[in-house]
Amino acid sequence: MKHYIKEIEKNILFYETARKQLETHINTINNEFEVLEDYNPINHIKTRVKTIDSIIGKLKRKNLAITKENTEKLTDIVGARIIVDFLENVYEIADKIRNNNFSIIEERDYIKNPKSSGYRGYHIIVSIPVSIGGVLKNIKCEIQIRTSAMDFWATNEHKLNYKSKNDKSIHKEKWIDAARKVWDLDTTMNELYLEEKHQKGNYVNDNLKIEMSVINSLDKIEKLKKLGENYGW
């Protein structure tokens, strides 16, 4: 066990470096929305590296022996969570990640295919190369994208249920029912968001038509002036 812990401690620098690179990539996406887009759907961003105790705890819950090989099978030692406003935004961010030079290993859509617990979210597993002291390692990182409502449910379920030593089945149906209510809220808010987006699009298009009409009218006036000059009007 002591030897194993030392191995993890050696890898912490690799994990922390991967976390910083991951955070930089995600902040770049955030800055793109801030500068280049009319609307930034990202509510907030959080990154972290699991503690040694948390890594050991996860291996135990998965009934895996505490070894270096099994640790490398874990995909979420380095993680990032991106919280957005609406359902539509989840997939917008996922597209941005695909187009941001990430090396993607796997995508898991728990929104369309929620877990049996009721959990929803979109997970993307990426690989980030880290070179330290002449040693190159490809570190697996997990990016979770959730709406604010999904994150509220998931965070509290994790606090009260995931690591609890009590019988989890006691309140299972209540958690699932709460997840359904969160989903109803998310879908309703997303409908309102899309309706507003559509109306705004129509407004912009109408304004653009007016502007183009004015430009065309001015262009015609200029042409008429030139004709008048040519013919001495």
Side-chain angles (χ1 to χ4, degrees):
M1 175 69 79
K2 288 181 180 179
H3 172 71
Y4 167 76
I5 291 174
K6 284 183 180 180
E7 284 294 322
I8 297 181
E9 287 173 345
K10 287 179 184 177
N11 281 331
I12 289 295
L13 184 56
F14 283 90
Y15 296 143
E16 184 58 33
T17 304
R19 182 198 69 78
K20 289 177 180 177
Q21 290 187 35
L22 181 64
E23 188 172 63
T24 298
H25 279 299
I26 294 172
N27 281 334
T28 299
I29 292 171
N30 188 47
N31 291 336
E32 282 180 17
F33 276 110
E34 287 286 351
V35 177
L36 302 177
E37 305 290 343
D38 294 331
Y39 168 67
N40 186 355
I42 298 175
N43 194 301
H44 64 272
I45 299 162
K46 183 179 179 181
T47 62
R48 62 100 183 99
V49 174
K50 277 184 181 292
T51 63
I52 293 173
D53 287 343
S54 182
I55 293 169
I56 292 171
K58 181 144 194 178
L59 290 172
K60 286 180 177 178
R61 287 191 297 274
K62 287 179 168 287
N63 295 315
L64 294 172
I66 301 171
T67 65
K68 178 184 176 183
E69 290 73 25
N70 284 336
T71 301
E72 290 175 352
K73 290 177 184 177
L74 300 179
T75 59
D76 65 342
I77 293 178
V78 180
R81 190 169 296 154
I82 305 173
I83 308 305
V84 299
D85 297 325
F86 304 102
L87 278 171
E88 184 85 358
N89 304 147
V90 172
Y91 295 100
E92 287 177 22
I93 299 300
D95 283 340
K96 286 282 188 182
I97 289 170
R98 291 187 200 101
N99 296 320
N100 207 263
N101 297 321
F102 279 105
S103 177
I104 296 176
I105 298 172
E106 184 182 0
E107 296 186 45
R108 301 169 185 168
D109 190 344
Y110 295 119
I111 296 175
K112 293 178 181 175
N113 303 290
K115 292 185 179 182
S116 59
S117 64
Y119 172 83
R120 291 180 192 264
Y122 199 96
H123 294 196
I124 302 177
I125 312 301
V126 301
S127 176
I128 293 183
V130 176
S131 179
I132 298 175
V135 177
L136 176 66
K137 292 187 179 184
N138 291 307
I139 306 298
K140 294 174 185 174
C141 309
E142 182 180 71
I143 303 171
Q144 298 177 352
I145 314 169
R146 302 171 182 166
T147 64
S148 299
M150 288 175 192
D151 190 58
F152 174 79
W153 182 95
T155 301
N156 286 295
E157 193 271 346
H158 186 81
K159 284 180 183 176
L160 300 177
N161 198 16
Y162 185 64
K163 295 180 180 179
S164 174
K165 294 180 181 178
N166 299 323
D167 184 1
K168 296 179 182 180
S169 64
I170 295 174
H171 300 300
K172 184 178 179 180
E173 287 305 316
K174 285 187 177 180
W175 280 112
I176 292 172
D177 183 56
R180 289 194 195 102
K181 289 174 181 175
V182 166
W183 177 244
D184 288 342
L185 176 63
D186 258 335
T187 51
T188 300
M189 296 301 290
N190 196 60
E191 286 172 8
L192 291 168
Y193 166 68
L194 291 176
E195 286 173 12
E196 180 67 24
K197 189 177 178 181
H198 179 69
Q199 288 175 5
K200 185 179 178 181
N202 286 341
Y203 175 76
V204 170
N205 287 337
D206 287 343
N207 279 349
L208 184 61
K209 286 176 184 176
I210 292 169
E211 286 176 10
M212 289 304 296
S213 176
V214 171
I215 290 169
N216 289 336
S217 295
L218 290 172
D219 187 47
K220 286 177 182 177
I221 291 169
E222 285 299 315
K223 286 180 179 178
L224 285 170
K225 281 183 178 178
K226 286 182 180 179
L227 282 171
E229 289 171 1
N230 290 337
Y231 289 96
W233 294 347

